[in-house]
Amino acid sequence: MSTTTTPAPSAPTPPVEEAHKETLGTIARDYVTKVRGGDVGSLPAVLGLIFLVIVFTSLRGETFTNQFNFANLFNQSAGVMVIAMGLVFVLLLGEIDLSAGFTAGTCAAVIGVCATERGWPWYLAILAGIATGAVIGLLIGLLVARLGIPSFVVTLAAFLGLQGVMLLIIGEGGTIPYRDDKLLAIMNKNLPVWLGWTLCIVGILAYGLVTYLRVKRRLDAGLGGGSLQLWALKTGAVAVVLLWMTYYFNLERSRNPALISLKGVPIVVVILFGLLVVLTFMLSRTAWGRHVYAVGGNAEAARRAGIAVAQVKLSCFMMCSSLAAVAGLLIASRDNSVSPSTGGSLTLLYAVGAAVIGGTSLFGGKGRIMDAVIGGLVIAVINNGMLMLDQPSGRVYLVTGLVLLLAASVDAISRRKARASGRV
Amino acid sequence: MTATAEETPTTASAEPLLSLRNINKSFGAVHVLRGVDLDIRPGRVTALVGDNGAGKSTLIKGIAGIHAFDSGEYTFEGKPVHVHGPRDANALGIEVVYQDLALCDNLDVVHNMFLGREQTTRALLDESAMEIKAREVLDGLSVRTLKSVRTQVASLSGGQRQTVAIARAVLWNSRIVILDEPTAALGVAQTEQVLKLVRRLADRGLGVVLISHNLNDVFAVADDIAVLYLGQMAAQLDAHTVSNSQVVQWITTGKSDAEPRKDNDR
């Protein structure tokens, strides 16, 4: 703070904020204040997830808590998670995309047609699928942002319409099988053990280095909000989680290892991590991401600040539908085919539930990509765990619904609390 | 106030930064602005007063490029300019602080101050540079009510929010700052703080336009008083020579008994 060390003697201008020494104690206190003020983030979801895992482990430890089921959980929830990641962008605006599920199905069908029936190489087929998603998002976005039709109605229409498009593409009652090895590998193959460890170590080092440089820049500039202790703690936590996950994934999962060996980090987990990192980066470190939050927080303020609100909205809908296309690929790859139910039934509702349970606000302006992952895991654990307890699916739905209601209540109550504490 | 009153003669003769001549604006059949003239000079606080519906908001929204005037001359530093959007006005150095503040509650002070004009290095947000610049501006305005520039705007008080909005307006080497009812929702102490801030802006050589219903505020900081009456500029008065009751009469009737308008052509 060289600028403040020599204030003009006649008009002393005290700095806005002394770069006070931040210790773990003050940081923890600040966090508690934040949570008490109503800004809970994904804390309830994380606590809920831990609670659920403990409950299911104590009730059905032998079938629930093992390396096979661990990989299975990610496999089951990957499609919902990726749709939820896309929905975060739309929810941040305070909008909704009800059609994301059938966008996933339609794009999966396009990929199937290109790869299986036309014989295109796998990467071109995937590209065609994602492009289809982008076009769908563009149309929805144009109707919402330019014409001003409520997104609920536009995407409800798209929900019905895309279901029709999908049926027309695959033929009534029929299916399009996926035969390409690469397409099937996405959900059915694992990385070699050595590659899993390598990626894990590289990921930890990259996280540590990037965050260290950021903290150091802040400290060098004399700004508060950075603490090497906190950095070490965070990096340590990330390292422990990643190392433990890699270790667990690299255990033998096959019931009969002599016949077929099943171990290594599933490819889909790497894809999920990649999306998590890239999308989080886009939202938190680019001007575009900042504009998304601004439009969600106060669209009029964003407009007056010169932000092209319509374009930001358009890009978010395109983002959502493109990610839905990726989700469609994951779902179809898991089922080895596209059927009329791909992306249908509960997929979309689970995805909205995942984002909200994870802590993304339905009122806009608040949410992170991580919410989709945590919320998706909560839903997957409830489904998976309760079915292992031989609960009828009626009860599973009931519990899932109650958890979603709980999450929405937390959102609404935290807003009320925030308003009471002056946070609006 | 005496100190600033002594300074003003040197700047009073200065060329107006912004001049409007014969401005007209209609919304459908409603003729909101009729042949309005306005001069904004550097280093002076020009209060824009008028009853509800006199056209104050329409006038400043036109200056800020939110909506275009139908006809009339808009000159900046003597040169005619065309302002078609907020960005055009910003490019000229005109910033508006709106009544409803136009801050994003879910973002922090620094984010709000740089909203729409974020600093980036290699396409990434440069948070440190923005935070340093934000602090410099707040320090320069002697703002000491903000505890941290990283607090969410949602948790700030009305006066603090107004301070952030004003600081955002001066961040961009602005030449003219227009404040729409900056003290409308504030308590006594906070009003005092904001008015001092307004005076400091003018003392730094900016042209300041203050819209207010509160004549106490107007007389506390203004050098000139421009009175809008039913969409016409009734008078531009020197705040140091007119009385409160005269201004009230201008606002309510569009004329003054004490000093009949000479150019009364209608």
Side-chain angles (χ1 to χ4, degrees), chain A residues 13-17 218 281 285-286 290-291 293-294 297-298 301 304-306 365 422-424, chain B residues 87 98 100 102-106 111 115 118 124-125 127 131 135 138-139 146-148 154-155:
Chain A
T13 53
V16 176
E17 167 199 30
R218 290 189 63 83
F281 198 75
R285 308 288 302 153
T286 68
R290 182 65 40 79
H291 294 172
Y293 282 100
N298 187 342
R304 288 179 181 176
R423 283 168 171 266
V424 177
Chain B
R87 278 189 193 271
Y98 290 99
D100 42 3
L103 297 177
C104 289
D105 283 336
N106 57 335
H111 295 170
L115 194 61
E118 290 82 2
L124 298 182
L125 294 173
E127 297 284 356
E131 186 167 339
R135 285 191 185 195
L138 289 167
D139 291 348
L146 279 177
K147 205 174 105 242
S148 160
S155 62

mmCIF file of all heavy atoms in Angstrom, chain A residues 13-17 218 281 285-286 290-291 293-294 297-298 301 304-306 365 422-424, chain B residues 87 98 100 102-106 111 115 118 124-125 127 131 135 138-139 146-148 154-155:
data_model
loop_
_atom_site.group_PDB
_atom_site.id
_atom_site.type_symbol
_atom_site.label_atom_id
_atom_site.label_comp_id
_atom_site.label_asym_id
_atom_site.label_seq_id
_atom_site.Cartn_x
_atom_site.Cartn_y
_atom_site.Cartn_z
ATOM 1 N N THR A 13 -6.279 11.111 3.949
ATOM 2 C CA THR A 13 -7.354 10.258 3.436
ATOM 3 C C THR A 13 -7.074 8.836 3.879
ATOM 4 O O THR A 13 -6.251 8.150 3.293
ATOM 5 C CB THR A 13 -7.406 10.310 1.907
ATOM 6 O OG1 THR A 13 -6.089 10.013 1.425
ATOM 7 C CG2 THR A 13 -7.842 11.660 1.402
ATOM 8 N N PRO A 14 -7.760 8.421 4.923
ATOM 9 C CA PRO A 14 -7.518 7.063 5.395
ATOM 10 C C PRO A 14 -7.971 6.060 4.359
ATOM 11 O O PRO A 14 -8.944 6.306 3.646
ATOM 12 C CB PRO A 14 -8.394 6.963 6.657
ATOM 13 C CG PRO A 14 -9.431 8.008 6.475
ATOM 14 C CD PRO A 14 -8.828 9.084 5.640
ATOM 15 N N PRO A 15 -7.244 4.963 4.232
ATOM 16 C CA PRO A 15 -7.635 3.955 3.248
ATOM 17 C C PRO A 15 -9.004 3.379 3.576
ATOM 18 O O PRO A 15 -9.421 3.366 4.732
ATOM 19 C CB PRO A 15 -6.551 2.888 3.372
ATOM 20 C CG PRO A 15 -5.935 3.113 4.708
ATOM 21 C CD PRO A 15 -6.073 4.562 4.997
ATOM 22 N N VAL A 16 -9.688 2.941 2.527
ATOM 23 C CA VAL A 16 -11.009 2.373 2.719
ATOM 24 C C VAL A 16 -10.950 1.226 3.713
ATOM 25 O O VAL A 16 -11.785 1.071 4.575
ATOM 26 C CB VAL A 16 -11.559 1.863 1.377
ATOM 27 C CG1 VAL A 16 -12.897 1.187 1.598
ATOM 28 C CG2 VAL A 16 -11.676 3.000 0.405
ATOM 29 N N GLU A 17 -9.925 0.429 3.560
ATOM 30 C CA GLU A 17 -9.839 -0.763 4.402
ATOM 31 C C GLU A 17 -8.377 -1.075 4.610
ATOM 32 O O GLU A 17 -7.628 -1.221 3.653
ATOM 33 C CB GLU A 17 -10.516 -1.935 3.672
ATOM 34 C CG GLU A 17 -10.247 -3.274 4.274
ATOM 35 C CD GLU A 17 -10.539 -4.374 3.277
ATOM 36 O OE1 GLU A 17 -10.388 -4.131 2.075
ATOM 37 O OE2 GLU A 17 -10.890 -5.456 3.698
ATOM 38 N N ARG A 218 -2.459 -11.108 -4.845
ATOM 39 C CA ARG A 218 -3.236 -10.260 -3.940
ATOM 40 C C ARG A 218 -2.374 -9.778 -2.783
ATOM 41 O O ARG A 218 -2.432 -8.612 -2.416
ATOM 42 C CB ARG A 218 -4.453 -11.025 -3.407
ATOM 43 C CG ARG A 218 -5.504 -11.288 -4.454
ATOM 44 C CD ARG A 218 -6.751 -11.839 -3.801
ATOM 45 N NE ARG A 218 -7.330 -10.880 -2.877
ATOM 46 C CZ ARG A 218 -8.124 -9.900 -3.260
ATOM 47 N NH1 ARG A 218 -8.433 -9.747 -4.505
ATOM 48 N NH2 ARG A 218 -8.601 -9.050 -2.383
ATOM 49 N N PHE A 281 -14.486 -21.783 -14.421
ATOM 50 C CA PHE A 281 -13.544 -20.764 -14.857
ATOM 51 C C PHE A 281 -14.263 -19.678 -15.676
ATOM 52 O O PHE A 281 -14.082 -18.487 -15.449
ATOM 53 C CB PHE A 281 -12.466 -21.443 -15.707
ATOM 54 C CG PHE A 281 -11.234 -20.631 -15.876
ATOM 55 C CD1 PHE A 281 -10.340 -20.515 -14.834
ATOM 56 C CD2 PHE A 281 -10.974 -19.985 -17.071
ATOM 57 C CE1 PHE A 281 -9.196 -19.756 -14.973
ATOM 58 C CE2 PHE A 281 -9.837 -19.234 -17.219
ATOM 59 C CZ PHE A 281 -8.945 -19.120 -16.163
ATOM 60 N N ARG A 285 -14.112 -16.155 -13.852
ATOM 61 C CA ARG A 285 -12.897 -15.430 -14.200
ATOM 62 C C ARG A 285 -12.999 -14.622 -15.493
ATOM 63 O O ARG A 285 -12.035 -13.967 -15.867
ATOM 64 C CB ARG A 285 -11.711 -16.413 -14.336
ATOM 65 C CG ARG A 285 -11.509 -17.335 -13.166
ATOM 66 C CD ARG A 285 -10.973 -16.626 -11.955
ATOM 67 N NE ARG A 285 -9.717 -15.981 -12.230
ATOM 68 C CZ ARG A 285 -9.285 -14.907 -11.587
ATOM 69 N NH1 ARG A 285 -10.017 -14.369 -10.650
ATOM 70 N NH2 ARG A 285 -8.128 -14.375 -11.881
ATOM 71 N N THR A 286 -14.121 -14.694 -16.193
ATOM 72 C CA THR A 286 -14.232 -13.913 -17.426
ATOM 73 C C THR A 286 -15.290 -12.823 -17.272
ATOM 74 O O THR A 286 -16.166 -12.910 -16.414
ATOM 75 C CB THR A 286 -14.632 -14.783 -18.629
ATOM 76 O OG1 THR A 286 -15.971 -15.233 -18.438
ATOM 77 C CG2 THR A 286 -13.711 -15.982 -18.784
ATOM 78 N N ARG A 290 -19.110 -12.653 -15.363
ATOM 79 C CA ARG A 290 -19.527 -11.570 -14.470
ATOM 80 C C ARG A 290 -20.840 -10.973 -14.962
ATOM 81 O O ARG A 290 -21.741 -10.668 -14.185
ATOM 82 C CB ARG A 290 -18.413 -10.511 -14.428
ATOM 83 C CG ARG A 290 -18.648 -9.343 -13.530
ATOM 84 C CD ARG A 290 -18.724 -9.687 -12.061
ATOM 85 N NE ARG A 290 -17.778 -10.688 -11.618
ATOM 86 C CZ ARG A 290 -16.491 -10.445 -11.367
ATOM 87 N NH1 ARG A 290 -16.004 -9.248 -11.513
ATOM 88 N NH2 ARG A 290 -15.708 -11.415 -10.971
ATOM 89 N N HIS A 291 -20.956 -10.826 -16.297
ATOM 90 C CA HIS A 291 -22.183 -10.247 -16.858
ATOM 91 C C HIS A 291 -23.386 -11.159 -16.621
ATOM 92 O O HIS A 291 -24.491 -10.682 -16.429
ATOM 93 C CB HIS A 291 -22.004 -9.976 -18.352
ATOM 94 C CG HIS A 291 -20.981 -8.919 -18.630
ATOM 95 N ND1 HIS A 291 -20.525 -8.618 -19.889
ATOM 96 C CD2 HIS A 291 -20.318 -8.087 -17.792
ATOM 97 C CE1 HIS A 291 -19.625 -7.657 -19.808
ATOM 98 N NE2 HIS A 291 -19.482 -7.322 -18.556
ATOM 99 N N TYR A 293 -23.896 -13.052 -13.996
ATOM 100 C CA TYR A 293 -24.340 -12.788 -12.625
ATOM 101 C C TYR A 293 -25.040 -11.435 -12.537
ATOM 102 O O TYR A 293 -26.049 -11.282 -11.844
ATOM 103 C CB TYR A 293 -23.151 -12.812 -11.659
ATOM 104 C CG TYR A 293 -22.696 -14.198 -11.294
ATOM 105 C CD1 TYR A 293 -21.600 -14.772 -11.904
ATOM 106 C CD2 TYR A 293 -23.377 -14.932 -10.336
ATOM 107 C CE1 TYR A 293 -21.180 -16.047 -11.583
ATOM 108 C CE2 TYR A 293 -22.977 -16.206 -9.996
ATOM 109 C CZ TYR A 293 -21.873 -16.764 -10.624
ATOM 110 O OH TYR A 293 -21.475 -18.030 -10.312
ATOM 111 N N ALA A 294 -24.509 -10.439 -13.256
ATOM 112 C CA ALA A 294 -25.091 -9.099 -13.194
ATOM 113 C C ALA A 294 -26.511 -9.096 -13.751
ATOM 114 O O ALA A 294 -27.430 -8.520 -13.158
ATOM 115 C CB ALA A 294 -24.218 -8.106 -13.968
ATOM 116 N N GLY A 297 -28.723 -10.725 -11.295
ATOM 117 C CA GLY A 297 -28.911 -9.947 -10.075
ATOM 118 C C GLY A 297 -29.817 -8.762 -10.284
ATOM 119 O O GLY A 297 -30.679 -8.470 -9.467
ATOM 120 N N ASN A 298 -29.607 -8.021 -11.375
ATOM 121 C CA ASN A 298 -30.396 -6.819 -11.648
ATOM 122 C C ASN A 298 -30.248 -6.494 -13.137
ATOM 123 O O ASN A 298 -29.305 -5.819 -13.540
ATOM 124 C CB ASN A 298 -29.898 -5.658 -10.769
ATOM 125 C CG ASN A 298 -30.788 -4.434 -10.879
ATOM 126 O OD1 ASN A 298 -31.564 -4.298 -11.815
ATOM 127 N ND2 ASN A 298 -30.655 -3.537 -9.917
ATOM 128 N N ALA A 301 -29.930 -2.810 -14.057
ATOM 129 C CA ALA A 301 -28.616 -2.256 -13.732
ATOM 130 C C ALA A 301 -27.596 -2.688 -14.780
ATOM 131 O O ALA A 301 -26.765 -1.888 -15.210
ATOM 132 C CB ALA A 301 -28.174 -2.713 -12.353
ATOM 133 N N ARG A 304 -28.092 -0.660 -17.911
ATOM 134 C CA ARG A 304 -27.587 0.709 -17.784
ATOM 135 C C ARG A 304 -26.073 0.750 -17.735
ATOM 136 O O ARG A 304 -25.468 1.758 -18.068
ATOM 137 C CB ARG A 304 -28.164 1.355 -16.533
ATOM 138 C CG ARG A 304 -29.619 1.677 -16.702
ATOM 139 C CD ARG A 304 -30.184 2.292 -15.462
ATOM 140 N NE ARG A 304 -31.599 2.571 -15.626
ATOM 141 C CZ ARG A 304 -32.368 3.047 -14.660
ATOM 142 N NH1 ARG A 304 -31.857 3.293 -13.477
ATOM 143 N NH2 ARG A 304 -33.632 3.282 -14.875
ATOM 144 N N ALA A 305 -25.467 -0.353 -17.290
ATOM 145 C CA ALA A 305 -24.002 -0.393 -17.269
ATOM 146 C C ALA A 305 -23.441 -0.699 -18.653
ATOM 147 O O ALA A 305 -22.244 -0.826 -18.813
ATOM 148 C CB ALA A 305 -23.520 -1.430 -16.259
ATOM 149 N N GLY A 306 -24.328 -0.839 -19.642
ATOM 150 C CA GLY A 306 -23.864 -1.049 -21.007
ATOM 151 C C GLY A 306 -23.678 -2.505 -21.382
ATOM 152 O O GLY A 306 -23.078 -2.809 -22.406
ATOM 153 N N GLY A 365 -29.140 -15.008 -10.093
ATOM 154 C CA GLY A 365 -28.037 -14.258 -9.516
ATOM 155 C C GLY A 365 -27.150 -15.020 -8.558
ATOM 156 O O GLY A 365 -26.120 -14.515 -8.142
ATOM 157 N N GLY A 422 -30.310 -7.000 5.902
ATOM 158 C CA GLY A 422 -29.934 -5.886 5.041
ATOM 159 C C GLY A 422 -29.282 -6.302 3.752
ATOM 160 O O GLY A 422 -28.732 -5.486 3.039
ATOM 161 N N ARG A 423 -29.292 -7.604 3.456
ATOM 162 C CA ARG A 423 -28.608 -8.037 2.232
ATOM 163 C C ARG A 423 -29.538 -8.077 1.031
ATOM 164 O O ARG A 423 -29.104 -8.329 -0.070
ATOM 165 C CB ARG A 423 -28.025 -9.441 2.441
ATOM 166 C CG ARG A 423 -26.770 -9.433 3.260
ATOM 167 C CD ARG A 423 -26.432 -10.846 3.673
ATOM 168 N NE ARG A 423 -25.125 -10.912 4.288
ATOM 169 C CZ ARG A 423 -24.023 -11.191 3.622
ATOM 170 N NH1 ARG A 423 -24.073 -11.423 2.341
ATOM 171 N NH2 ARG A 423 -22.880 -11.242 4.224
ATOM 172 N N VAL A 424 -30.781 -7.841 1.229
ATOM 173 C CA VAL A 424 -31.833 -7.879 0.202
ATOM 174 C C VAL A 424 -31.960 -9.259 -0.412
ATOM 175 O O VAL A 424 -31.039 -9.722 -1.056
ATOM 176 C CB VAL A 424 -31.642 -6.849 -0.915
ATOM 177 C CG1 VAL A 424 -32.731 -7.005 -1.976
ATOM 178 C CG2 VAL A 424 -31.700 -5.453 -0.348
ATOM 179 N N ARG B 87 -23.488 3.873 -23.949
ATOM 180 C CA ARG B 87 -22.051 3.804 -24.209
ATOM 181 C C ARG B 87 -21.521 5.079 -24.860
ATOM 182 O O ARG B 87 -20.405 5.495 -24.594
ATOM 183 C CB ARG B 87 -21.729 2.588 -25.085
ATOM 184 C CG ARG B 87 -21.635 1.314 -24.276
ATOM 185 C CD ARG B 87 -21.099 0.178 -25.116
ATOM 186 N NE ARG B 87 -21.286 -1.081 -24.445
ATOM 187 C CZ ARG B 87 -20.388 -1.593 -23.616
ATOM 188 N NH1 ARG B 87 -19.267 -0.965 -23.387
ATOM 189 N NH2 ARG B 87 -20.616 -2.747 -23.023
ATOM 190 N N TYR B 98 -28.429 6.742 -10.910
ATOM 191 C CA TYR B 98 -29.891 6.727 -10.956
ATOM 192 C C TYR B 98 -30.499 6.656 -9.568
ATOM 193 O O TYR B 98 -29.886 6.175 -8.615
ATOM 194 C CB TYR B 98 -30.384 5.549 -11.795
ATOM 195 C CG TYR B 98 -30.088 5.723 -13.247
ATOM 196 C CD1 TYR B 98 -29.000 5.109 -13.830
ATOM 197 C CD2 TYR B 98 -30.880 6.554 -14.024
ATOM 198 C CE1 TYR B 98 -28.705 5.291 -15.161
ATOM 199 C CE2 TYR B 98 -30.600 6.736 -15.354
ATOM 200 C CZ TYR B 98 -29.505 6.103 -15.927
ATOM 201 O OH TYR B 98 -29.219 6.293 -17.230
ATOM 202 N N ASP B 100 -32.876 4.713 -8.520
ATOM 203 C CA ASP B 100 -32.964 3.345 -8.007
ATOM 204 C C ASP B 100 -31.602 2.654 -8.061
ATOM 205 O O ASP B 100 -31.499 1.449 -8.102
ATOM 206 C CB ASP B 100 -34.029 2.541 -8.747
ATOM 207 C CG ASP B 100 -33.995 2.794 -10.238
ATOM 208 O OD1 ASP B 100 -33.108 3.545 -10.676
ATOM 209 O OD2 ASP B 100 -34.833 2.261 -10.970
ATOM 210 N N ALA B 102 -29.325 1.248 -9.517
ATOM 211 C CA ALA B 102 -28.770 0.428 -10.585
ATOM 212 C C ALA B 102 -27.502 -0.294 -10.164
ATOM 213 O O ALA B 102 -26.509 -0.312 -10.876
ATOM 214 C CB ALA B 102 -28.520 1.280 -11.833
ATOM 215 N N LEU B 103 -27.530 -0.849 -8.965
ATOM 216 C CA LEU B 103 -26.426 -1.703 -8.533
ATOM 217 C C LEU B 103 -26.921 -3.148 -8.510
ATOM 218 O O LEU B 103 -28.107 -3.391 -8.349
ATOM 219 C CB LEU B 103 -25.955 -1.323 -7.136
ATOM 220 C CG LEU B 103 -25.376 0.074 -6.961
ATOM 221 C CD1 LEU B 103 -25.029 0.312 -5.505
ATOM 222 C CD2 LEU B 103 -24.144 0.273 -7.826
ATOM 223 N N CYS B 104 -25.989 -4.085 -8.678
ATOM 224 C CA CYS B 104 -26.360 -5.498 -8.591
ATOM 225 C C CYS B 104 -26.083 -5.985 -7.175
ATOM 226 O O CYS B 104 -24.937 -6.024 -6.740
ATOM 227 C CB CYS B 104 -25.561 -6.323 -9.592
ATOM 228 S SG CYS B 104 -26.058 -6.025 -11.281
ATOM 229 N N ASP B 105 -27.138 -6.367 -6.479
ATOM 230 C CA ASP B 105 -27.004 -6.759 -5.079
ATOM 231 C C ASP B 105 -26.131 -7.980 -4.885
ATOM 232 O O ASP B 105 -25.519 -8.153 -3.842
ATOM 233 C CB ASP B 105 -28.392 -7.065 -4.487
ATOM 234 C CG ASP B 105 -29.139 -5.793 -4.187
ATOM 235 O OD1 ASP B 105 -28.461 -4.758 -4.002
ATOM 236 O OD2 ASP B 105 -30.374 -5.819 -4.137
ATOM 237 N N ASN B 106 -26.113 -8.861 -5.891
ATOM 238 C CA ASN B 106 -25.393 -10.116 -5.706
ATOM 239 C C ASN B 106 -23.903 -9.989 -6.020
ATOM 240 O O ASN B 106 -23.183 -10.962 -5.933
ATOM 241 C CB ASN B 106 -26.021 -11.222 -6.568
ATOM 242 C CG ASN B 106 -26.047 -10.850 -8.039
ATOM 243 O OD1 ASN B 106 -26.045 -9.668 -8.384
ATOM 244 N ND2 ASN B 106 -26.047 -11.841 -8.893
ATOM 245 N N HIS B 111 -16.911 -5.255 -8.109
ATOM 246 C CA HIS B 111 -17.623 -5.757 -9.293
ATOM 247 C C HIS B 111 -18.599 -4.716 -9.807
ATOM 248 O O HIS B 111 -18.712 -4.481 -11.008
ATOM 249 C CB HIS B 111 -18.401 -7.037 -8.958
ATOM 250 C CG HIS B 111 -17.524 -8.176 -8.592
ATOM 251 N ND1 HIS B 111 -18.005 -9.343 -8.068
ATOM 252 C CD2 HIS B 111 -16.200 -8.335 -8.689
ATOM 253 C CE1 HIS B 111 -17.004 -10.168 -7.841
ATOM 254 N NE2 HIS B 111 -15.899 -9.580 -8.209
ATOM 255 N N LEU B 115 -18.736 -2.681 -13.392
ATOM 256 C CA LEU B 115 -19.734 -3.439 -14.138
ATOM 257 C C LEU B 115 -19.833 -2.957 -15.586
ATOM 258 O O LEU B 115 -19.985 -1.764 -15.848
ATOM 259 C CB LEU B 115 -21.094 -3.300 -13.458
ATOM 260 C CG LEU B 115 -22.153 -4.300 -13.915
ATOM 261 C CD1 LEU B 115 -21.703 -5.711 -13.608
ATOM 262 C CD2 LEU B 115 -23.467 -4.021 -13.226
ATOM 263 N N GLU B 118 -15.260 -4.185 -17.255
ATOM 264 C CA GLU B 118 -14.280 -4.913 -16.463
ATOM 265 C C GLU B 118 -12.899 -4.812 -17.088
ATOM 266 O O GLU B 118 -12.759 -4.790 -18.306
ATOM 267 C CB GLU B 118 -14.672 -6.395 -16.363
ATOM 268 C CG GLU B 118 -15.888 -6.659 -15.504
ATOM 269 C CD GLU B 118 -17.195 -6.432 -16.236
ATOM 270 O OE1 GLU B 118 -17.140 -6.101 -17.439
ATOM 271 O OE2 GLU B 118 -18.257 -6.574 -15.621
ATOM 272 N N LEU B 124 -8.927 -12.542 -19.156
ATOM 273 C CA LEU B 124 -9.350 -12.906 -17.803
ATOM 274 C C LEU B 124 -9.512 -11.653 -16.958
ATOM 275 O O LEU B 124 -8.780 -10.674 -17.131
ATOM 276 C CB LEU B 124 -8.329 -13.830 -17.153
ATOM 277 C CG LEU B 124 -8.129 -15.163 -17.856
ATOM 278 C CD1 LEU B 124 -7.138 -16.015 -17.086
ATOM 279 C CD2 LEU B 124 -9.454 -15.898 -17.973
ATOM 280 N N LEU B 125 -10.463 -11.698 -16.036
ATOM 281 C CA LEU B 125 -10.697 -10.565 -15.153
ATOM 282 C C LEU B 125 -9.448 -10.281 -14.322
ATOM 283 O O LEU B 125 -8.869 -11.193 -13.750
ATOM 284 C CB LEU B 125 -11.868 -10.865 -14.229
ATOM 285 C CG LEU B 125 -13.229 -11.003 -14.897
ATOM 286 C CD1 LEU B 125 -14.250 -11.468 -13.876
ATOM 287 C CD2 LEU B 125 -13.666 -9.687 -15.499
ATOM 288 N N GLU B 127 -8.739 -8.974 -11.194
ATOM 289 C CA GLU B 127 -9.393 -8.564 -9.944
ATOM 290 C C GLU B 127 -8.520 -7.618 -9.132
ATOM 291 O O GLU B 127 -9.002 -6.643 -8.571
ATOM 292 C CB GLU B 127 -9.742 -9.792 -9.107
ATOM 293 C CG GLU B 127 -10.735 -10.735 -9.752
ATOM 294 C CD GLU B 127 -12.165 -10.215 -9.684
ATOM 295 O OE1 GLU B 127 -12.383 -9.164 -9.066
ATOM 296 O OE2 GLU B 127 -13.048 -10.856 -10.261
ATOM 297 N N GLU B 131 -9.482 -3.896 -7.977
ATOM 298 C CA GLU B 131 -9.658 -3.585 -6.561
ATOM 299 C C GLU B 131 -8.798 -2.394 -6.161
ATOM 300 O O GLU B 131 -9.238 -1.498 -5.431
ATOM 301 C CB GLU B 131 -9.321 -4.817 -5.707
ATOM 302 C CG GLU B 131 -9.619 -4.605 -4.243
ATOM 303 C CD GLU B 131 -9.603 -5.889 -3.441
ATOM 304 O OE1 GLU B 131 -9.758 -6.969 -4.037
ATOM 305 O OE2 GLU B 131 -9.451 -5.793 -2.215
ATOM 306 N N ARG B 135 -10.232 1.209 -4.813
ATOM 307 C CA ARG B 135 -9.830 1.804 -3.528
ATOM 308 C C ARG B 135 -9.270 3.192 -3.716
ATOM 309 O O ARG B 135 -9.532 4.095 -2.919
ATOM 310 C CB ARG B 135 -8.764 0.940 -2.882
ATOM 311 C CG ARG B 135 -9.318 -0.311 -2.302
ATOM 312 C CD ARG B 135 -8.243 -0.925 -1.481
ATOM 313 N NE ARG B 135 -8.671 -2.203 -0.985
ATOM 314 C CZ ARG B 135 -8.036 -2.821 -0.002
ATOM 315 N NH1 ARG B 135 -6.987 -2.270 0.540
ATOM 316 N NH2 ARG B 135 -8.472 -3.974 0.409
ATOM 317 N N LEU B 138 -12.164 5.543 -4.131
ATOM 318 C CA LEU B 138 -12.888 5.757 -2.866
ATOM 319 C C LEU B 138 -12.046 6.584 -1.902
ATOM 320 O O LEU B 138 -12.555 7.482 -1.231
ATOM 321 C CB LEU B 138 -13.253 4.408 -2.242
ATOM 322 C CG LEU B 138 -14.348 3.642 -2.992
ATOM 323 C CD1 LEU B 138 -14.430 2.210 -2.511
ATOM 324 C CD2 LEU B 138 -15.690 4.325 -2.819
ATOM 325 N N ASP B 139 -10.740 6.323 -1.844
ATOM 326 C CA ASP B 139 -9.870 7.125 -0.990
ATOM 327 C C ASP B 139 -9.839 8.564 -1.466
ATOM 328 O O ASP B 139 -9.886 9.503 -0.675
ATOM 329 C CB ASP B 139 -8.447 6.555 -0.998
ATOM 330 C CG ASP B 139 -8.365 5.226 -0.284
ATOM 331 O OD1 ASP B 139 -9.343 4.886 0.397
ATOM 332 O OD2 ASP B 139 -7.339 4.533 -0.417
ATOM 333 N N LEU B 146 -17.063 2.773 4.032
ATOM 334 C CA LEU B 146 -17.054 1.392 3.562
ATOM 335 C C LEU B 146 -15.999 0.601 4.312
ATOM 336 O O LEU B 146 -14.851 1.008 4.370
ATOM 337 C CB LEU B 146 -16.743 1.348 2.068
ATOM 338 C CG LEU B 146 -17.891 1.613 1.120
ATOM 339 C CD1 LEU B 146 -17.373 1.590 -0.304
ATOM 340 C CD2 LEU B 146 -18.972 0.589 1.296
ATOM 341 N N LYS B 147 -16.408 -0.533 4.858
ATOM 342 C CA LYS B 147 -15.453 -1.328 5.612
ATOM 343 C C LYS B 147 -14.542 -2.099 4.661
ATOM 344 O O LYS B 147 -13.339 -2.100 4.793
ATOM 345 C CB LYS B 147 -16.199 -2.298 6.536
ATOM 346 C CG LYS B 147 -15.380 -2.709 7.748
ATOM 347 C CD LYS B 147 -16.213 -3.535 8.701
ATOM 348 C CE LYS B 147 -15.838 -4.973 8.598
ATOM 349 N NZ LYS B 147 -16.727 -5.945 8.201
ATOM 350 N N SER B 148 -15.139 -2.734 3.666
ATOM 351 C CA SER B 148 -14.344 -3.512 2.725
ATOM 352 C C SER B 148 -14.939 -3.384 1.334
ATOM 353 O O SER B 148 -16.154 -3.380 1.180
ATOM 354 C CB SER B 148 -14.318 -4.985 3.146
ATOM 355 O OG SER B 148 -13.961 -5.784 2.036
ATOM 356 N N ALA B 154 -25.485 -5.942 -1.457
ATOM 357 C CA ALA B 154 -26.746 -6.215 -0.758
ATOM 358 C C ALA B 154 -26.652 -5.892 0.725
ATOM 359 O O ALA B 154 -27.640 -5.521 1.346
ATOM 360 C CB ALA B 154 -27.131 -7.680 -0.949
ATOM 361 N N SER B 155 -25.457 -6.007 1.308
ATOM 362 C CA SER B 155 -25.351 -5.823 2.747
ATOM 363 C C SER B 155 -24.998 -4.384 3.124
ATOM 364 O O SER B 155 -24.725 -4.101 4.276
ATOM 365 C CB SER B 155 -24.315 -6.786 3.316
ATOM 366 O OG SER B 155 -23.048 -6.509 2.770
#
